[in-house]
């Protein structure tokens, strides 16, 4: 359905949240009951966040207005819900997990999934939420009952990797062509992505993959929505009581595995004119997109170096306060206003998007699109779907993605190596 939302749900839904002892929830991702990626929903960082399963409602959209249509459908759905929330924290009450395509013409479109059961933790608080039809109202399950439903793990399958839409040589040639366009002033920056196929000799247990990502990349947001899984280091937007925050990443260097050498590499990254230029494009893109809706915006004068197990990034944390006329904008509406940022598209946006369409020669689907969750009050968190993969419907294959920011000083061979480094989180999680 183009530029509209299709809602599948029971008539009237009831969301009920109860508090549970936080010490009973040391591992949120370990509570997912089934191995199948399609039924898993997660948004977890440093052991805190929300996980869910089951499906009380589903909103699907596509087209240019896929965000606005989903936002309107969610507002309508929650207006008719009965919500009983004894905890009152972000992530309690009625919530939906969502992911959206990078490009408006992608058949992947967008989706909001409302789970039947959500378990969350924030600081010393923990909770269980049930979302069911009014006619099916039952007490929320205890943690013991949830644990009793967990299916045994599936054996880890062997993995075989093959090229995606382009071979390594073809992708490097396309990057070279894009560099020529940038040097001829056709664009300032273009983010080029590539995909890799992973075929398995047995079904994937997504719980193992998510647990590996959550363990190895604790500073990232480990996510799962409708078969899209990953661990993103980039927070597109968090909206909490009118305060907006975002983490911008652009500029990358691989880690060497030697701590002393990596300190030197981090210092080199912080001085790199090429990476600083790329980062400045990304921060400027975000602040310009926020400007029409914000009463005030604060961006640091210089980025810091974010250390991850496989790479290091230049990073900036940006905050803003929504202006009065826009104070009711939901987190999803703000994410829509910010997407696509220069960190995943380029600048100028329209020019970069066309270069991507001409040279990537693939559909990104929901890679590099917003992924996260939204609450009934509009608060929520949305990351950019990076370091991610889309799991096939039969759970026997995945499509892995990685992208690199291309500027005039870029080198195709270096960019290919950087893309390999960005594929490593998913490869390692599959291999463990």
């Amino acid at each position: 359905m183009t530029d509209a939302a299709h809602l599948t749900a029971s008539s009237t839904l009831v969301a009920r949240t109860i508090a549970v002892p936080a010490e009973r929830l040391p591992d949120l991702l370990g509570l997912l009951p089934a191995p199948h990626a399609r039924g898993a929903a997660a948004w977890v960082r440093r052991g805190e966040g929300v996980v869910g399963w089951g499906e009380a409602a589903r909103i699907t959209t596509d087209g240019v207005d896929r965000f606005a249509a989903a936002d309107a459908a969610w507002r309508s759905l929650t207006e008719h819900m009965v919500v009983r929330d004894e905890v009152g924290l972000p992530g309690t009450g009625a919530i939906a997990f969502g992911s959206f395509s990078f490009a408006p013409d992608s058949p992947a479109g967008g989706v909001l999934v409302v789970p039947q059961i959500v378990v969350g933790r924030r600081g010393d608080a923990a909770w269980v939420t049930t979302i069911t039809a009014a006619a099916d109202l039952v007490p929320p399950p205890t943690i013991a009952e949830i644990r009793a439903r967990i299916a045994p793990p599936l054996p880890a399958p062997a993995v075989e990797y093959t090229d995606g839409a382009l071979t390594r040589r073809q992708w490097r040639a396309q990057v070279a062509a894009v560099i020529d366009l940038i040097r001829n002033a056709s664009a300032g920056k273009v983010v080029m992505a590539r995909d890799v196929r992973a075929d398995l000799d047995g079904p994937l247990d997504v719980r193992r993959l998510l647990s590996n990502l959550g363990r190895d990349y604790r500073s990232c947001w480990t996510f799962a929505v409708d078969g899209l899984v990953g661990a993103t280091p980039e927070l597109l937007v968090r909206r909490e009581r009118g305060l907006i925050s975002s983490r911008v990443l652009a500029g990358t260097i691989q880690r060497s595995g030697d701590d002393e050498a990596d300190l030197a590499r981090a210092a080199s990254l912080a001085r790199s004119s090429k990476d600083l230029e790329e980062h400045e494009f990304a921060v400027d893109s975000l602040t310009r997109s926020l400007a029409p809706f914000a009463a005030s915006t604060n961006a640091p004068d210089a980025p810091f170096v974010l250390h991850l197990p496989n790479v290091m990034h230049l990073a900036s944390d940006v905050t803003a306060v929504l202006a009065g006329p826009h104070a009711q904008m939901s987190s999803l509406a703000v994410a829509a206003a910010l997407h696509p940022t220069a960190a995943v598209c380029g600048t100028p946006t329209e020019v970069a998007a066309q270069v991507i369409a001409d040279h990537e020669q693939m559909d990104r689907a929901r890679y590099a699109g917003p992924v996260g969750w939204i609450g009934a009050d509009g608060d929520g968190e949305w990351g950019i779907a990076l370091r991610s993969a889309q799991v096939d419907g039969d759970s026997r294959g995945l499509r892995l993605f990685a992208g690199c920011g291309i500027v005039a000083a870029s080198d195709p061979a270096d960019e290919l190596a950087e893309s390999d480094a960005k594929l490593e989180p998913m490869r390692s999680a599959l291999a463990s």
Side-chain angles (χ1 to χ4, degrees), residues 286-332:
L286 181 81
T287 55
R288 283 197 306 270
S289 297
L290 275 175
F293 314 105
S296 62
T297 303
N298 180 52
D301 294 331
F304 66 93
V305 177
L306 176 66
H307 295 250
L308 298 177
N310 58 323
V311 295
M312 294 176 283
H313 296 289
L314 293 179
S316 292
D317 289 332
V318 178
T319 58
V321 177
L322 290 175
H326 307 288
Q328 299 306 311
M329 284 182 71
S330 72
S331 57
L332 179 56

mmCIF file of all heavy atoms in Angstrom, residues 286-332:
data_model
loop_
_atom_site.group_PDB
_atom_site.id
_atom_site.type_symbol
_atom_site.label_atom_id
_atom_site.label_comp_id
_atom_site.label_asym_id
_atom_site.label_seq_id
_atom_site.Cartn_x
_atom_site.Cartn_y
_atom_site.Cartn_z
ATOM 1 N N LEU A 286 23.073 16.685 10.315
ATOM 2 C CA LEU A 286 22.143 16.450 11.412
ATOM 3 C C LEU A 286 21.616 17.756 11.985
ATOM 4 O O LEU A 286 20.398 17.914 12.178
ATOM 5 C CB LEU A 286 22.825 15.637 12.507
ATOM 6 C CG LEU A 286 21.930 15.312 13.700
ATOM 7 C CD1 LEU A 286 21.048 14.111 13.398
ATOM 8 C CD2 LEU A 286 22.755 15.055 14.948
ATOM 9 N N THR A 287 22.496 18.692 12.260
ATOM 10 C CA THR A 287 22.058 19.943 12.884
ATOM 11 C C THR A 287 21.166 20.754 11.946
ATOM 12 O O THR A 287 20.214 21.398 12.395
ATOM 13 C CB THR A 287 23.258 20.777 13.342
ATOM 14 O OG1 THR A 287 24.156 21.007 12.234
ATOM 15 C CG2 THR A 287 24.025 20.066 14.450
ATOM 16 N N ARG A 288 21.446 20.723 10.641
ATOM 17 C CA ARG A 288 20.577 21.415 9.680
ATOM 18 C C ARG A 288 19.193 20.782 9.654
ATOM 19 O O ARG A 288 18.174 21.476 9.572
ATOM 20 C CB ARG A 288 21.185 21.395 8.276
ATOM 21 C CG ARG A 288 22.318 22.379 8.060
ATOM 22 C CD ARG A 288 22.584 22.586 6.579
ATOM 23 N NE ARG A 288 22.810 21.327 5.880
ATOM 24 C CZ ARG A 288 24.000 20.758 5.727
ATOM 25 N NH1 ARG A 288 25.080 21.344 6.240
ATOM 26 N NH2 ARG A 288 24.137 19.620 5.071
ATOM 27 N N SER A 289 19.131 19.460 9.731
ATOM 28 C CA SER A 289 17.842 18.775 9.711
ATOM 29 C C SER A 289 17.048 19.035 10.985
ATOM 30 O O SER A 289 15.810 19.090 10.955
ATOM 31 C CB SER A 289 18.060 17.268 9.529
ATOM 32 O OG SER A 289 18.666 16.991 8.288
ATOM 33 N N LEU A 290 17.734 19.201 12.113
ATOM 34 C CA LEU A 290 17.058 19.468 13.380
ATOM 35 C C LEU A 290 16.589 20.914 13.499
ATOM 36 O O LEU A 290 15.605 21.202 14.200
ATOM 37 C CB LEU A 290 17.994 19.166 14.549
ATOM 38 C CG LEU A 290 18.087 17.741 15.070
ATOM 39 C CD1 LEU A 290 19.166 17.644 16.143
ATOM 40 C CD2 LEU A 290 16.752 17.272 15.628
ATOM 41 N N ALA A 291 17.263 21.833 12.828
ATOM 42 C CA ALA A 291 17.047 23.268 13.025
ATOM 43 C C ALA A 291 15.580 23.704 12.933
ATOM 44 O O ALA A 291 15.118 24.502 13.758
ATOM 45 C CB ALA A 291 17.910 24.058 12.046
ATOM 46 N N PRO A 292 14.788 23.220 11.962
ATOM 47 C CA PRO A 292 13.403 23.712 11.869
ATOM 48 C C PRO A 292 12.524 23.314 13.048
ATOM 49 O O PRO A 292 11.452 23.905 13.234
ATOM 50 C CB PRO A 292 12.898 23.062 10.570
ATOM 51 C CG PRO A 292 14.105 22.696 9.804
ATOM 52 C CD PRO A 292 15.123 22.336 10.830
ATOM 53 N N PHE A 293 12.939 22.334 13.840
ATOM 54 C CA PHE A 293 12.085 21.806 14.909
ATOM 55 C C PHE A 293 12.625 22.092 16.308
ATOM 56 O O PHE A 293 11.922 21.837 17.285
ATOM 57 C CB PHE A 293 11.940 20.288 14.752
ATOM 58 C CG PHE A 293 11.645 19.857 13.347
ATOM 59 C CD1 PHE A 293 12.633 19.263 12.565
ATOM 60 C CD2 PHE A 293 10.395 20.075 12.789
ATOM 61 C CE1 PHE A 293 12.374 18.880 11.261
ATOM 62 C CE2 PHE A 293 10.123 19.699 11.493
ATOM 63 C CZ PHE A 293 11.113 19.100 10.715
ATOM 64 N N ALA A 294 13.840 22.606 16.416
ATOM 65 C CA ALA A 294 14.502 22.724 17.711
ATOM 66 C C ALA A 294 14.547 24.161 18.200
ATOM 67 O O ALA A 294 14.782 25.102 17.430
ATOM 68 C CB ALA A 294 15.927 22.170 17.625
ATOM 69 N N ALA A 295 14.294 24.329 19.506
ATOM 70 C CA ALA A 295 14.464 25.635 20.123
ATOM 71 C C ALA A 295 15.944 25.924 20.345
ATOM 72 O O ALA A 295 16.386 27.078 20.294
ATOM 73 C CB ALA A 295 13.708 25.684 21.442
ATOM 74 N N SER A 296 16.718 24.874 20.607
ATOM 75 C CA SER A 296 18.167 25.016 20.790
ATOM 76 C C SER A 296 18.833 23.701 20.440
ATOM 77 O O SER A 296 18.245 22.632 20.599
ATOM 78 C CB SER A 296 18.512 25.413 22.226
ATOM 79 O OG SER A 296 18.087 24.417 23.131
ATOM 80 N N THR A 297 20.060 23.788 19.933
ATOM 81 C CA THR A 297 20.840 22.612 19.569
ATOM 82 C C THR A 297 22.257 22.792 20.071
ATOM 83 O O THR A 297 22.825 23.886 19.984
ATOM 84 C CB THR A 297 20.863 22.417 18.037
ATOM 85 O OG1 THR A 297 19.526 22.320 17.553
ATOM 86 C CG2 THR A 297 21.616 21.151 17.664
ATOM 87 N N ASN A 298 22.821 21.723 20.593
ATOM 88 C CA ASN A 298 24.194 21.772 21.088
ATOM 89 C C ASN A 298 25.020 20.672 20.436
ATOM 90 O O ASN A 298 24.688 19.489 20.559
ATOM 91 C CB ASN A 298 24.230 21.601 22.606
ATOM 92 C CG ASN A 298 25.643 21.650 23.156
ATOM 93 O OD1 ASN A 298 26.397 22.580 22.878
ATOM 94 N ND2 ASN A 298 26.016 20.646 23.924
ATOM 95 N N ALA A 299 26.063 21.065 19.703
ATOM 96 C CA ALA A 299 26.987 20.113 19.078
ATOM 97 C C ALA A 299 28.400 20.461 19.522
ATOM 98 O O ALA A 299 28.762 21.636 19.579
ATOM 99 C CB ALA A 299 26.878 20.171 17.562
ATOM 100 N N PRO A 300 29.224 19.467 19.849
ATOM 101 C CA PRO A 300 30.591 19.749 20.300
ATOM 102 C C PRO A 300 31.437 20.350 19.188
ATOM 103 O O PRO A 300 31.172 20.142 18.001
ATOM 104 C CB PRO A 300 31.110 18.374 20.725
ATOM 105 C CG PRO A 300 30.307 17.403 19.924
ATOM 106 C CD PRO A 300 28.947 18.024 19.778
ATOM 107 N N ASP A 301 32.464 21.084 19.595
ATOM 108 C CA ASP A 301 33.357 21.698 18.614
ATOM 109 C C ASP A 301 34.226 20.662 17.905
ATOM 110 O O ASP A 301 34.615 20.860 16.755
ATOM 111 C CB ASP A 301 34.268 22.727 19.299
ATOM 112 C CG ASP A 301 33.488 23.915 19.828
ATOM 113 O OD1 ASP A 301 32.434 24.240 19.243
ATOM 114 O OD2 ASP A 301 33.923 24.497 20.843
ATOM 115 N N ALA A 302 34.534 19.577 18.589
ATOM 116 C CA ALA A 302 35.391 18.542 17.999
ATOM 117 C C ALA A 302 34.878 17.176 18.418
ATOM 118 O O ALA A 302 34.325 17.007 19.517
ATOM 119 C CB ALA A 302 36.841 18.718 18.460
ATOM 120 N N PRO A 303 35.039 16.152 17.564
ATOM 121 C CA PRO A 303 34.568 14.805 17.902
ATOM 122 C C PRO A 303 35.509 14.104 18.869
ATOM 123 O O PRO A 303 36.660 14.516 19.057
ATOM 124 C CB PRO A 303 34.554 14.097 16.550
ATOM 125 C CG PRO A 303 35.642 14.767 15.772
ATOM 126 C CD PRO A 303 35.608 16.218 16.200
ATOM 127 N N PHE A 304 35.008 13.042 19.496
ATOM 128 C CA PHE A 304 35.854 12.146 20.270
ATOM 129 C C PHE A 304 36.022 10.851 19.492
ATOM 130 O O PHE A 304 35.323 10.608 18.500
ATOM 131 C CB PHE A 304 35.274 11.887 21.668
ATOM 132 C CG PHE A 304 33.971 11.128 21.682
ATOM 133 C CD1 PHE A 304 33.950 9.737 21.816
ATOM 134 C CD2 PHE A 304 32.757 11.796 21.596
ATOM 135 C CE1 PHE A 304 32.755 9.032 21.846
ATOM 136 C CE2 PHE A 304 31.548 11.097 21.628
ATOM 137 C CZ PHE A 304 31.557 9.716 21.742
ATOM 138 N N VAL A 305 36.978 10.025 19.919
ATOM 139 C CA VAL A 305 37.226 8.747 19.246
ATOM 140 C C VAL A 305 36.505 7.648 20.020
ATOM 141 O O VAL A 305 36.769 7.431 21.207
ATOM 142 C CB VAL A 305 38.730 8.441 19.144
ATOM 143 C CG1 VAL A 305 38.938 7.067 18.506
ATOM 144 C CG2 VAL A 305 39.438 9.523 18.335
ATOM 145 N N LEU A 306 35.570 6.983 19.352
ATOM 146 C CA LEU A 306 34.829 5.876 19.938
ATOM 147 C C LEU A 306 35.560 4.575 19.618
ATOM 148 O O LEU A 306 35.749 4.237 18.448
ATOM 149 C CB LEU A 306 33.405 5.834 19.376
ATOM 150 C CG LEU A 306 32.526 4.670 19.834
ATOM 151 C CD1 LEU A 306 32.225 4.774 21.324
ATOM 152 C CD2 LEU A 306 31.234 4.607 19.026
ATOM 153 N N HIS A 307 35.961 3.839 20.648
ATOM 154 C CA HIS A 307 36.709 2.600 20.479
ATOM 155 C C HIS A 307 35.753 1.414 20.497
ATOM 156 O O HIS A 307 35.064 1.180 21.487
ATOM 157 C CB HIS A 307 37.743 2.437 21.599
ATOM 158 C CG HIS A 307 38.824 3.474 21.583
ATOM 159 N ND1 HIS A 307 40.128 3.184 21.240
ATOM 160 C CD2 HIS A 307 38.788 4.804 21.852
ATOM 161 C CE1 HIS A 307 40.855 4.287 21.314
ATOM 162 N NE2 HIS A 307 40.063 5.283 21.685
ATOM 163 N N LEU A 308 35.709 0.654 19.404
ATOM 164 C CA LEU A 308 34.963 -0.588 19.313
ATOM 165 C C LEU A 308 35.947 -1.732 19.111
ATOM 166 O O LEU A 308 37.111 -1.498 18.764
ATOM 167 C CB LEU A 308 33.964 -0.524 18.154
ATOM 168 C CG LEU A 308 32.881 0.552 18.264
ATOM 169 C CD1 LEU A 308 32.010 0.557 17.017
ATOM 170 C CD2 LEU A 308 32.034 0.364 19.510
ATOM 171 N N PRO A 309 35.529 -2.971 19.306
ATOM 172 C CA PRO A 309 36.478 -4.079 19.189
ATOM 173 C C PRO A 309 37.132 -4.200 17.817
ATOM 174 O O PRO A 309 38.266 -4.671 17.723
ATOM 175 C CB PRO A 309 35.609 -5.311 19.494
ATOM 176 C CG PRO A 309 34.523 -4.801 20.364
ATOM 177 C CD PRO A 309 34.219 -3.428 19.840
ATOM 178 N N ASN A 310 36.429 -3.789 16.747
ATOM 179 C CA ASN A 310 36.975 -3.991 15.400
ATOM 180 C C ASN A 310 37.482 -2.717 14.749
ATOM 181 O O ASN A 310 38.396 -2.746 13.928
ATOM 182 C CB ASN A 310 35.917 -4.632 14.490
ATOM 183 C CG ASN A 310 34.658 -3.802 14.385
ATOM 184 O OD1 ASN A 310 34.220 -3.177 15.355
ATOM 185 N ND2 ASN A 310 34.053 -3.783 13.208
ATOM 186 N N VAL A 311 36.894 -1.575 15.091
ATOM 187 C CA VAL A 311 37.262 -0.299 14.472
ATOM 188 C C VAL A 311 37.178 0.804 15.508
ATOM 189 O O VAL A 311 36.670 0.613 16.618
ATOM 190 C CB VAL A 311 36.333 0.054 13.278
ATOM 191 C CG1 VAL A 311 36.480 -0.934 12.132
ATOM 192 C CG2 VAL A 311 34.881 0.151 13.741
ATOM 193 N N MET A 312 37.669 1.995 15.128
ATOM 194 C CA MET A 312 37.474 3.212 15.916
ATOM 195 C C MET A 312 36.813 4.255 15.019
ATOM 196 O O MET A 312 37.114 4.341 13.824
ATOM 197 C CB MET A 312 38.811 3.717 16.460
ATOM 198 C CG MET A 312 39.443 2.777 17.477
ATOM 199 S SD MET A 312 41.086 3.301 18.047
ATOM 200 C CE MET A 312 42.094 2.830 16.630
ATOM 201 N N HIS A 313 35.905 5.038 15.597
ATOM 202 C CA HIS A 313 35.156 6.043 14.849
ATOM 203 C C HIS A 313 35.360 7.418 15.474
ATOM 204 O O HIS A 313 35.502 7.544 16.696
ATOM 205 C CB HIS A 313 33.658 5.764 14.876
ATOM 206 C CG HIS A 313 33.236 4.492 14.224
ATOM 207 N ND1 HIS A 313 33.271 4.303 12.865
ATOM 208 C CD2 HIS A 313 32.728 3.354 14.746
ATOM 209 C CE1 HIS A 313 32.799 3.103 12.580
ATOM 210 N NE2 HIS A 313 32.477 2.505 13.707
ATOM 211 N N LEU A 314 35.293 8.454 14.653
ATOM 212 C CA LEU A 314 35.073 9.793 15.169
ATOM 213 C C LEU A 314 33.595 9.915 15.515
ATOM 214 O O LEU A 314 32.725 9.524 14.730
ATOM 215 C CB LEU A 314 35.450 10.849 14.121
ATOM 216 C CG LEU A 314 36.933 10.957 13.756
ATOM 217 C CD1 LEU A 314 37.141 12.035 12.701
ATOM 218 C CD2 LEU A 314 37.779 11.251 14.987
ATOM 219 N N ALA A 315 33.285 10.419 16.704
ATOM 220 C CA ALA A 315 31.900 10.456 17.180
ATOM 221 C C ALA A 315 31.604 11.804 17.825
ATOM 222 O O ALA A 315 32.471 12.422 18.442
ATOM 223 C CB ALA A 315 31.658 9.333 18.195
ATOM 224 N N SER A 316 30.363 12.253 17.669
ATOM 225 C CA SER A 316 29.877 13.473 18.322
ATOM 226 C C SER A 316 28.486 13.222 18.868
ATOM 227 O O SER A 316 27.636 12.659 18.170
ATOM 228 C CB SER A 316 29.814 14.647 17.327
ATOM 229 O OG SER A 316 31.095 15.065 16.920
ATOM 230 N N ASP A 317 28.252 13.625 20.103
ATOM 231 C CA ASP A 317 26.924 13.536 20.712
ATOM 232 C C ASP A 317 26.251 14.906 20.618
ATOM 233 O O ASP A 317 26.758 15.896 21.160
ATOM 234 C CB ASP A 317 27.028 13.093 22.169
ATOM 235 C CG ASP A 317 27.423 11.630 22.298
ATOM 236 O OD1 ASP A 317 27.111 10.848 21.381
ATOM 237 O OD2 ASP A 317 28.057 11.274 23.316
ATOM 238 N N VAL A 318 25.124 14.946 19.932
ATOM 239 C CA VAL A 318 24.381 16.185 19.692
ATOM 240 C C VAL A 318 23.090 16.132 20.488
ATOM 241 O O VAL A 318 22.413 15.096 20.533
ATOM 242 C CB VAL A 318 24.075 16.357 18.192
ATOM 243 C CG1 VAL A 318 23.263 17.629 17.940
ATOM 244 C CG2 VAL A 318 25.374 16.381 17.381
ATOM 245 N N THR A 319 22.724 17.252 21.133
ATOM 246 C CA THR A 319 21.464 17.327 21.877
ATOM 247 C C THR A 319 20.656 18.520 21.376
ATOM 248 O O THR A 319 21.200 19.489 20.838
ATOM 249 C CB THR A 319 21.697 17.467 23.386
ATOM 250 O OG1 THR A 319 22.486 18.631 23.642
ATOM 251 C CG2 THR A 319 22.406 16.241 23.942
ATOM 252 N N ALA A 320 19.336 18.446 21.562
ATOM 253 C CA ALA A 320 18.448 19.532 21.155
ATOM 254 C C ALA A 320 17.188 19.496 22.002
ATOM 255 O O ALA A 320 16.839 18.449 22.581
ATOM 256 C CB ALA A 320 18.093 19.411 19.669
ATOM 257 N N VAL A 321 16.510 20.623 22.067
ATOM 258 C CA VAL A 321 15.214 20.735 22.737
ATOM 259 C C VAL A 321 14.191 21.106 21.678
ATOM 260 O O VAL A 321 14.384 22.073 20.933
ATOM 261 C CB VAL A 321 15.235 21.796 23.851
ATOM 262 C CG1 VAL A 321 13.851 21.942 24.475
ATOM 263 C CG2 VAL A 321 16.266 21.441 24.910
ATOM 264 N N LEU A 322 13.112 20.329 21.580
ATOM 265 C CA LEU A 322 12.081 20.617 20.588
ATOM 266 C C LEU A 322 11.406 21.949 20.910
ATOM 267 O O LEU A 322 11.079 22.245 22.058
ATOM 268 C CB LEU A 322 11.043 19.503 20.556
ATOM 269 C CG LEU A 322 11.514 18.155 19.983
ATOM 270 C CD1 LEU A 322 10.413 17.108 20.129
ATOM 271 C CD2 LEU A 322 11.937 18.292 18.532
ATOM 272 N N ALA A 323 11.200 22.770 19.880
ATOM 273 C CA ALA A 323 10.523 24.050 20.045
ATOM 274 C C ALA A 323 9.038 23.823 20.334
ATOM 275 O O ALA A 323 8.471 22.779 19.982
ATOM 276 C CB ALA A 323 10.692 24.893 18.788
ATOM 277 N N GLY A 324 8.389 24.809 20.940
ATOM 278 C CA GLY A 324 7.001 24.696 21.351
ATOM 279 C C GLY A 324 6.055 24.137 20.299
ATOM 280 O O GLY A 324 5.319 23.171 20.574
ATOM 281 N N PRO A 325 6.053 24.690 19.073
ATOM 282 C CA PRO A 325 5.128 24.170 18.057
ATOM 283 C C PRO A 325 5.394 22.722 17.662
ATOM 284 O O PRO A 325 4.532 22.079 17.075
ATOM 285 C CB PRO A 325 5.366 25.119 16.869
ATOM 286 C CG PRO A 325 5.984 26.339 17.448
ATOM 287 C CD PRO A 325 6.797 25.866 18.606
ATOM 288 N N HIS A 326 6.585 22.233 17.973
ATOM 289 C CA HIS A 326 6.967 20.875 17.575
ATOM 290 C C HIS A 326 7.165 19.956 18.783
ATOM 291 O O HIS A 326 7.698 18.855 18.637
ATOM 292 C CB HIS A 326 8.247 20.922 16.743
ATOM 293 C CG HIS A 326 8.167 21.850 15.578
ATOM 294 N ND1 HIS A 326 7.414 21.578 14.458
ATOM 295 C CD2 HIS A 326 8.731 23.070 15.373
ATOM 296 C CE1 HIS A 326 7.523 22.579 13.591
ATOM 297 N NE2 HIS A 326 8.308 23.486 14.126
ATOM 298 N N ALA A 327 6.742 20.404 19.942
ATOM 299 C CA ALA A 327 7.012 19.657 21.173
ATOM 300 C C ALA A 327 6.361 18.281 21.171
ATOM 301 O O ALA A 327 6.811 17.381 21.877
ATOM 302 C CB ALA A 327 6.541 20.458 22.385
ATOM 303 N N GLN A 328 5.295 18.110 20.374
ATOM 304 C CA GLN A 328 4.596 16.834 20.355
ATOM 305 C C GLN A 328 5.098 15.904 19.251
ATOM 306 O O GLN A 328 4.522 14.821 19.063
ATOM 307 C CB GLN A 328 3.092 17.075 20.190
ATOM 308 C CG GLN A 328 2.471 17.897 21.311
ATOM 309 C CD GLN A 328 2.768 17.314 22.679
ATOM 310 O OE1 GLN A 328 2.589 16.118 22.912
ATOM 311 N NE2 GLN A 328 3.231 18.160 23.599
ATOM 312 N N MET A 329 6.130 16.297 18.522
ATOM 313 C CA MET A 329 6.685 15.396 17.510
ATOM 314 C C MET A 329 7.140 14.104 18.165
ATOM 315 O O MET A 329 7.873 14.119 19.158
ATOM 316 C CB MET A 329 7.879 16.029 16.794
ATOM 317 C CG MET A 329 7.532 17.077 15.763
ATOM 318 S SD MET A 329 9.023 17.726 14.942
ATOM 319 C CE MET A 329 9.505 16.317 13.925
ATOM 320 N N SER A 330 6.724 12.986 17.624
ATOM 321 C CA SER A 330 7.148 11.700 18.179
ATOM 322 C C SER A 330 8.595 11.418 17.812
ATOM 323 O O SER A 330 9.174 12.055 16.912
ATOM 324 C CB SER A 330 6.260 10.577 17.640
ATOM 325 O OG SER A 330 6.562 10.328 16.276
ATOM 326 N N SER A 331 9.175 10.453 18.487
ATOM 327 C CA SER A 331 10.543 10.046 18.155
ATOM 328 C C SER A 331 10.625 9.557 16.715
ATOM 329 O O SER A 331 11.626 9.803 16.020
ATOM 330 C CB SER A 331 11.007 8.947 19.115
ATOM 331 O OG SER A 331 10.128 7.828 19.075
ATOM 332 N N LEU A 332 9.581 8.892 16.230
ATOM 333 C CA LEU A 332 9.585 8.416 14.849
ATOM 334 C C LEU A 332 9.511 9.577 13.876
ATOM 335 O O LEU A 332 10.176 9.563 12.830
ATOM 336 C CB LEU A 332 8.427 7.447 14.619
ATOM 337 C CG LEU A 332 8.284 6.865 13.205
ATOM 338 C CD1 LEU A 332 9.566 6.172 12.767
ATOM 339 C CD2 LEU A 332 7.104 5.898 13.145
#
